[in-house]
């Protein structure tokens, strides 16, 4: 597998690759993907947080799967409004929230589906399509 190409963009990183693999322990990381063929990724947050912005990406024709592992921390995915999320994340004393602002004219498109897998223990997994006001 090809190694990711990282660019520093004002405190966050831009990843130009079709798959990401991020690990944070006692820290925080923000990345922004701009793939035209997103295959998926893996985010592991232990006592920390990872925020992955996928709003500039397009899902691969082969499908997309993201594995999320959260322990005493948080994983956040920012996705375009027209993507369908299949949540298969197991939560144990944790939570999963889909906080996307829904468009009433939205029609599901099976070619724009992400499957989320993994485990969330004493932490949180969040999907949204907006930037959080700080």
């Amino acid at each position: 597998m090809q190694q990711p190409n990282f660019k520093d963009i004002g405190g966050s990183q831009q990843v130009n690759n079709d798959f990401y693999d991020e690990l944070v322990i006692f820290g925080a990381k923000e990345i922004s993907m701009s793939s035209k063929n997103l295959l998926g990724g893996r985010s592991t947050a232990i006592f920390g947080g990872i925020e992955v912005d996928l709003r500039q990406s397009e899902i691969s024709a082969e499908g997309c799967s993201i594995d999320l592992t959260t322990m005493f921390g948080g994983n956040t995915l920012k996705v375009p409004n027209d993507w369908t999320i299949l949540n298969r994340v197991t939560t144990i004393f944790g939570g999963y929230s889909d906080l996307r602002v829904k468009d009433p004219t939205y029609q599901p498109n099976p070619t724009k589906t992400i499957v989320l897998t993994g485990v969330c223990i004493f932490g949180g997994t969040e999907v949204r399509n907006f930037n959080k006001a700080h």
Side-chain angles (χ1 to χ4, degrees), residues 103-119:
D103 179 353
T105 62
Y106 167 73
Q107 294 294 317
N109 182 344
T111 64
K112 295 182 178 182
T113 300
I114 291 184
V115 178
L116 301 182
T117 60
V119 64

Side-chain angles (χ1 to χ4, degrees), residues 1 10 18-19 23 29 34-35 44 49 59 64-65 71-72 77 79 82 89-91 105 108 120-121 126:
M1 178 181 243
D18 299 332
F19 185 88
L23 168 67
K29 184 179 275 190
S34 61
S35 171
T44 303
I59 296 174
C64 181
S65 179
M71 295 176 65
F72 298 95
L77 295 176
V79 299
D82 62 342
V89 175
T90 301
T91 58
T105 62
C120 180
I121 303 169
E126 183 178 286

Side-chain angles (χ1 to χ4, degrees), residues 24-29 44-50 70-75:
V24 169
I25 301 173
F26 291 105
K29 184 179 275 190
T44 303
I46 301 170
F47 289 98
I50 299 175
T70 310
M71 295 176 65
F72 298 95
N75 263 301

Side-chain angles (χ1 to χ4, degrees), residues 39-97:
L39 297 169
R42 179 177 26 237
S43 293
T44 303
I46 301 170
F47 289 98
I50 299 175
E51 184 173 287
V52 180
D53 190 342
L54 302 173
R55 294 176 295 178
Q56 302 301 315
S57 295
E58 296 174 18
I59 296 174
S60 169
E62 294 137 26
C64 181
S65 179
I66 297 176
D67 184 56
L68 302 166
T69 301
T70 310
M71 295 176 65
F72 298 95
N75 263 301
T76 300
L77 295 176
K78 293 185 205 173
V79 299
N81 202 33
D82 62 342
W83 286 10
T84 300
I85 305 294
L86 293 178
N87 175 27
R88 296 195 177 132
V89 175
T90 301
T91 58
I92 302 168
F93 295 106
Y96 169 85
S97 299

